[in-house]
Amino acid sequence: MKKYIYTTIFFFTLLFISCEDFLQEKVYTQITSDYIVSTPSGMASAVLAMYNKDREIFRNNSDTETTLWTNMLMGDDISVPRAGNGVPQFGRLANLQGSTGNVGRLWRHMYAIVGYANLVIDASQRVDMTDPVAIQALAEARVFRAHAYFWLIRKFDRIYLNTRVTTPENVNDSIVYTPADPDDVFALINEDLNYAIDHLSWETSQPGRFTQGAARHIKAKVAAWLKDWQEVGNQVNIIDQSGFYNLVSLEEIFGSADLNHSEAILVSQWSKGIGGWYINPNTGTTSGHRMPLHFTPNYHQEQGMLMDFESGAYPWGRLFPNDHLLKMYDQAKDRRYQVFYKHTWHYNNPAGLPRGKKLGDPLVPVNQAQYLNLHPACTKYNDSYTRLRPDETQSFKDIIIYRLAETYLMGAEAYYHLGKTDSLSYYYNKTWERAGNAKFTGTITWDMIADEHARELALEGDRWFFLKRNGLLIENIRKYGGEYIEKKGVVLMNDTLIRENVQPHHVRLPIPQAQIDIMGKENFPQNEGYN
Amino acid sequence: MKVFNEANIAEKSIPFQRIVLFVFSVFCLVLTISAQTRIVTGVVKDVSGEAMTGVGVVLKGTTKGTITNIDGQYSIEVVSNSDVLEFSFIGYETIAKQVDNQSVINIIMHEDVKTLEELVVVGYGTQRKSDLTGSVVSVKAEDMNATPTTSVAEMLRGQAAGVVVTQTSARPGGTSDILIRGKRSLTGGNAPLFIVDGVPVNNIDDFNSQDILSVEVLKDASSQSIYGARASNGVILVTTKRGEENKTVVDFSAYVGTQRVKRNFEFYDGDEWVQLKREANRSFPEGVYLDDASLFGNMYQNLVDRNYTEWESEMIKPAIQQKYDLSVRSGGKNTRIASSIGFFDQKGMIAPASFRRANFRFNADHKFSKTFSLSLNTNYTYSFQTNEDDSFDKFITQSPLLLPYDENGVLQSILADSKWNPVWNNQNMLNERKLNRFLLNLNLDWEIFKGLKYKLNASMNTRDSERGVYLNSLHEQGSNTEGKASIELGNYTDYLIENILTYDRDINEQHRFDVTLVQSANAQLSKNTSMVGYGFATDDLGYNNIGAASKTDPVVRSITPRNLLSYMGRLRYNMMDRYLFSASMRIDGSSVFGAQNKWGFFPAGSFAWRISEEEFLYDQHWLSNLKLRLSYGEVGNQAVSPYQSQGLVDSYFMQYGTGEPLVGYLPGSQLPNPNLKWETTGSLNSGIDFGFLRDRISGTLEFYHSVTRDLLMKQSINEITGYTSQLTNIGSVMNRGIEFSVNAIPVKSKNFTWTLFANFATNHNEILALNGELDENGKPVDDIANKWFIGYNVDAYYDYQFEGIWQLDDEIPDFGPNYLPQPGDIKVKDVDKDGLITPDDRIIINRSPKWTGSLGSSVAWKGIEFSFDFYTVQGVIKSNAYLYDSNSGGDLHGRLNGIKVDYWTLENPSNTAPRPRDATITYFSSLAYQDASYVRLRNISLAYDFPSKLLKDIHMSKLRVYATATNLWTHTNFLSYSPELSAGSYPEPKTLLVGLNVSF
């Protein structure tokens, strides 16, 4: 019997011999987050990935249409939307709420950038900061953070200021979330930008990265927001005199796939190569953005029209320049009227021509439906450069975020307020003359600057901010928002809902409702006017 | 149930005999009858009427006895009327009969169901069926093989109550899902764990069903819990055939059949489609039609000529399917083998879809000493699948006015509507998947001493797959990029080592117990590599030319390991064959669990009471079995995907300007959670097993109630942290149900047998808790995005309620700015009665079946066997995209063809579908919720077994020819090619086949 007992014991010992290592999860194809927070190259790699993530503004990962960029462009005095996701809320201010999809998405996107930047900035406490790679990474991360907070404070006014790195260990700490004092937010933004200006160089072999010029341009924008005109003028002068930037010809600004020209200050990089494509993090599939589709009307639905590059290729028809904007141009002299817009379409389908028409004849809209299909369109995003066929929906053309024209217009604005007329004239005439107008030598009024801003930068994303910081947002939308066109007694365009819908509280977005629920409305109340 | 032959009469007569006996005994008290020897004779037969030779006939209490002769006759001397004769024969129930005053006593003997007790495979061992305490259903291989498919899951359909099989793909080599007792996990999988000969496998469909001896489904937590953290969705044990001692069997089987498409809907034919397009472009309310010539444009000439295309027959054509199997099983005293090869070939009804598979198996058992033996199981599978083009389903939506061929009969790439021809696309692509699978399983058995056994179970399992897709430069998608090639390589390996100790002891007749101890280590590693390339100089080499691509996407490589370390102990105790107890505990450690929650504990206990073995019922011959079972157990779901608990970063490519692409790293939007653990299901099961009339009627009735807690849910976190969510164990789901199954053999005689089976199961599923978020009133928040509602089924729709169509004379109220209906528009219900149609008017619609059931029967007469079975799923609602979706032609825009509906027009005030128009129709999806309940004649089969006398001369032991029809008839209101699949899925065939089984 004893023998059996020993045998049994022997086997039991065998049974329970094992090693805990077996249960350690081994990682093969990914690296852990330790890497990016403990080495200079890790910090740099995180910053590099942030440029990729930042492109999501132009291309949601699940929805190609409802992009942050196109939604944030809407709701001003110089554009009219047609249809699409987000259009009622942002384009006509109907039912804009804390639960509106892109309100939450903007908040999430910007705070994600802040979170990434915080990781890198926090890493600088542990990493050897004499390494130039680490300094460069830190400087870029700080511009990213400043830029994200600048977006948030301008769009929401009421935000939380987070500079801490979140970990599984501290995520459940009890924190009372209360809105930040805007002064603290701007202090952080300026501190971050100053560090970047001190440490970034003017030039980079890698266009698309933040440079000293980009940091100064953003600094000028922040100063304009704070009405610190001296600072604006100062930064604009430095950029102008740096010698690194020049205005290019009107055709060149948006006239190629690669827009890293000497006028460009900050450009979102797109190309068909690896790293130039938007890559869906969930599926790994690669694709471009859809910007050209947004701004081209559905001309192809008209009889006798086929999709071709000449007409604007594949259209979705989401947002158009309105008559208020187009009237600002001197149609005869200002070349921007032709270069930045397409006004007329011409029959191009030999198979489907209406009776009495021939190829090349212009189409003349006679009713509302036709007018929408042939609405004047902004061509700044048109892309016949990266698409093989006109029916291709994806575009890989770069998107300009900031360019020197805007810097100069900020300069004009600053010197208008500072009362220095030669500098004002110098900066105002930069874009004015380039457009083919004769040099303006008279007295430049503020309204002229505001109109020149619209003429030069329309549908590039700054109009809403420009109106808000000048206290004109609500007033101008009430006057000029949407579009109403009547020709010979026929109403061709009637979309002025935004004029009726706009309310004083629309100068800011609502706080995303889900986030208020998490933070508690007693600590972090909704912006006034929204419920 | 009309025919009850002699056997039943005999059974029925028992109570009558008892009365006679009783009356007679009373007489005995009164009358003293003098002892006198006399002779009693009779014939002993079995239930089928065959005379039984060698049956022992003994005068009870004496040594006097005899045996029956070759004709079943006996003759014995008795003394008094109170003498009792005992008839006994091995394998049959012993019968005691009082002589009374009879001189002829004929006896019919019944097979003893108690001694011929079947063994049931349970986890880590086998058990007598009567000793089971949990809920285990055995499915016989021959019942499964009645269905001609490669999917073992599909073969299990309708075979066990509570096991719901749903088709996921009807294409050749397609798969089906198995759901046992309802959905338990929201984010993890719901597929059961398969154990083949003691080895866990991920995919059962690679195995050849002809190799399977039996399948056991473990349905309750007490029988599952010995598989711990993987068993939450149920366990299916598969046992393969083995060689038998001193017996050689060679089996050959073959069948060949055709598959044809069937549908229960109509397309618009040419004239009807033309009318639909006219209606869609008719002015309203004036009712003026547009001019045909401008409306139909370049399709107009076809309209005039009535030159129409039937697109379905361009895409779907009848196809052949065939299967051949050869197996040899043989054995001597110490060594036994079973080996088989099989080949399956199915052409798709939609070319070039097809599936071919070759299987090879070799099982061997060898006893190499008195106490040691070895057994080996090997399985090799090669399969080759080709798929049709993804755009094949466009045949449904092609206008009949579009012609696939030009006037010279040349296939067109782009049709008159400027869209691509789906037939063309289908001819200019290649989509292939090759699979190699090898399973090696070695067992060493050592009987240390009587009762104590050690088993080493080791296995290695590999599965290599390669999918190659090439869309050539003529294909719609390939033409943009001058060809597109993609290759996906998958490699999966797992290793298992298990040490199993069992001790089995009968203390005495009254007390028996056994103990099982298991230690197990399982390592799984899955690797995937995929690459995509574009721009090829030639199409000739297909995807194999990927090396010559002028442009490539980043190569994606992923490796996911899962290691599991387990300990299990089980004690079973049997007291007097009446009271059965079982208790077990499994401890699982898993690599995917968070660092702070590595180990899970899964206890279970069960009890069964065999009431029919109690003294007070033992003599009740009408009752052959009555058992009450009760169990509770906990099981886990290892739903955590690898790496969820760790802080990992994802890679991102970035190209600045025209420079080289660079890679950077950032964490995702989900904050890691080092506390992640398994989802746990606690489940209570009670059941009654019954058998009447010597188990001629037998069955099971069961109730279960299970609650799954710690469900993995994404919990939203404050986004100012930079993260949006964290995976947390927080949700909870309940399932409860009733299952009933019954088998009956109404007739069983020499030449004629009739069997019946039926089963029925209900399941009620309810979400108890979600991610814990509360609304402003402190009420738990439903997850509308995922359509998860607390208190409702996991599978739900959330939409407006269709109430018909607004008619011309209806007074249409003002519903607010979002909904301004006109006559011909969809009427939806104002559920909250606030006079407006708002998102609050949506209702929750339960999608999962209320009950499922099957009913089957077979009748055998002199070698001819006729059998059929019906399967039904009731109370399912499915949204049919083909009734509203614009891409599926359901939008009534008159642009695409689709499923024909009775749409509203000024002249036809239909109340089922709205007025066609070339604009969005509001709330269209609300009318697409169709009852997808169905009743189906799943298999109907006629077979003939040649008589063995005839076969002896040609050295055959069995020859069977048969014809089977599968999916021959289905009744459902869901408009599709199959009630389980949408119309755009690969259509489900009905199959007619003839086959042959030969044994030597």
Side-chain angles (χ1 to χ4, degrees), chain B residues 431-448:
Chain B
N431 183 339
E432 299 176 335
R433 193 194 66 164
K434 290 166 206 150
L435 182 89
N436 280 296
R437 177 163 188 171
F438 185 62
L439 174 75
L440 181 67
N441 172 213
L442 194 69
N443 284 304
L444 173 73
D445 286 275
W446 175 24
E447 183 164 17
I448 301 164

Side-chain angles (χ1 to χ4, degrees), chain B residues 269-282:
Chain B
D269 66 21
D271 291 342
E272 288 166 339
W273 188 80
V274 165
Q275 192 53 35
L276 170 66
K277 189 168 181 68
R278 286 179 185 141
E279 288 293 343
N281 292 280
R282 191 181 182 189

Side-chain angles (χ1 to χ4, degrees), chain A residues 286-520:
Chain A
T286 51
S287 54
H289 61 76
R290 307 288 201 277
M291 285 305 135
L293 285 61
H294 273 272
F295 297 94
T296 310
N298 293 327
Y299 65 90
H300 70 307
Q301 290 183 1
E302 289 300 308
Q303 206 181 347
M305 289 303 293
L306 278 176
M307 274 181 212
D308 65 4
F309 284 121
E310 171 64 28
S311 306
Y314 197 109
W316 273 347
R318 295 287 181 256
L319 188 68
F320 308 126
N322 70 2
D323 57 338
H324 175 61
L325 170 63
L326 295 175
K327 277 179 199 155
M328 291 181 196
Y329 295 92
D330 179 339
Q331 292 186 23
K333 290 186 191 148
D334 199 320
R335 290 186 52 245
R336 290 176 293 200
Y337 187 74
Q338 294 301 338
V339 177
F340 289 168
Y341 307 95
K342 182 170 176 62
H343 301 275
T344 322
W345 276 262
H346 301 271
Y347 289 109
N348 63 3
N349 183 6
L353 286 174
R355 203 163 300 164
K357 302 288 180 192
K358 56 181 194 302
L359 283 181
D361 281 357
L363 280 85
V364 181
V366 294
N367 58 34
Q368 281 200 38
Q370 282 191 324
Y371 191 80
L372 264 184
N373 284 345
L374 301 168
H375 198 285
C378 168
T379 56
K380 289 179 176 179
Y381 301 91
N382 273 18
D383 174 21
S384 54
Y385 317 104
T386 72
R387 296 193 280 185
L388 290 178
R389 291 200 328 236
D391 66 346
E392 223 179 291
T393 57
Q394 301 174 34
S395 169
F396 303 92
K397 183 181 159 182
D398 289 345
I399 299 166
I400 293 184
I401 302 170
Y402 299 131
R403 58 187 173 101
L404 187 62
E406 188 194 0
T407 325
Y408 285 156
L409 284 167
M410 282 193 288
E413 217 184 332
Y415 289 109
Y416 170 82
H417 288 291
L418 294 169
K420 288 175 92 172
T421 48
D422 19 321
S423 293
L424 166 58
S425 169
Y426 171 74
Y427 285 123
Y428 179 84
N429 278 306
K430 285 275 184 193
T431 54
W432 177 253
E433 277 188 287
R434 174 178 61 176
N437 301 298
K439 182 171 179 168
F440 190 83
T441 50
T443 308
I444 297 166
T445 65
W446 192 87
D447 284 348
M448 287 169 61
I449 299 172
D451 285 357
E452 181 62 11
H453 182 276
R455 283 189 292 262
E456 181 63 30
L457 300 170
L459 300 166
E460 290 181 53
D462 196 53
R463 186 67 178 175
W464 191 92
F465 297 120
F466 179 83
L467 293 177
K468 178 173 176 177
R469 74 175 157 84
N470 285 300
L472 291 170
L473 185 62
I474 307 303
E475 187 189 327
N476 276 28
I477 290 176
R478 269 202 190 121
K479 276 193 225 158
Y480 311 114
E483 192 174 44
Y484 180 85
I485 293 177
E486 204 181 304
K487 264 185 192 154
K488 295 174 194 156
V490 181
V491 177
L492 291 177
M493 188 74 199
N494 184 6
D495 187 354
T496 54
L497 273 173
I498 191 169
R499 296 182 198 171
E500 288 130 48
N501 288 340
V502 70
Q503 300 289 328
H505 64 259
H506 287 133
V507 297
R508 55 187 73 85
L509 294 179
I511 311 293
Q513 190 56 46
Q515 299 306 304
I516 291 185
D517 294 345
I518 288 175
M519 295 187 284

